[in-house]
Amino acid sequence: MTVPPSSEPTLWELQRGLERMREDQRDAITALRDDLRGELRDLAVRFDQVVTKDVYLADRRVLEQRVSVVERDLAAETHLREETEARAVVQRRWAVGAFVAPLAVAAVQVWLISKGAAP
């Protein structure tokens, strides 16, 4: 089978095809470079927000110390409150005893006097 001479591309057509391919590749490389620059810029922003391991561990130690101080202070406050409540109960008992006992004795004396018994 023979190929007619008009079906083969001319050198000029080949050159235009190669130039189009080069332009397409150049555009693709430019787009890829722009995408890569944008991603690197985003990555640089993320690196600015990263904390090093040493800083993180130091911050964690400080936080643990603060929590232990708060827990210790809370335990001391709880103990102090329990002691205060116990003292308040004792004081109420003394107050009740100091006021109710004389009233009870006076009531018994009034009852005995009303019955006719002399003290």
Side-chain angles (χ1 to χ4, degrees), residues 4 11 13 17 25 33 42 48 54 69 72 75 80 107 109 113 118:
L11 291 177
E13 290 173 344
Q25 285 179 346
R33 188 181 316 126
D42 293 342
D48 288 341
D54 296 334
V69 166
R72 186 185 66 226
L80 182 64
Q109 285 180 351
I113 290 174

Side-chain angles (χ1 to χ4, degrees), residues 26-84:
R26 192 177 322 123
D27 292 342
I29 288 173
T30 302
L32 182 63
R33 188 181 316 126
D34 292 342
D35 289 344
L36 185 59
R37 283 181 182 158
E39 288 178 7
L40 286 175
R41 205 174 11 255
D42 293 342
L43 190 60
V45 168
R46 289 186 66 193
F47 276 140
D48 288 341
Q49 298 172 351
V50 172
V51 176
T52 63
K53 186 176 180 180
D54 296 334
V55 171
Y56 172 75
L57 291 175
D59 189 41
R60 188 170 174 190
R61 279 191 299 262
V62 168
L63 182 63
E64 287 174 359
Q65 288 174 352
R66 289 176 59 195
V67 167
S68 65
V69 166
V70 168
E71 287 175 346
R72 186 185 66 226
D73 291 346
L74 180 63
E77 286 293 324
T78 303
H79 181 69
L80 182 64
R81 185 174 29 130
E82 289 172 355
E83 287 179 356
T84 304

Side-chain angles (χ1 to χ4, degrees), residues 102-115:
L103 289 175
V105 170
V108 168
Q109 285 180 351
V110 169
W111 181 71
L112 287 176
I113 290 174
S114 69
K115 292 290 185 187

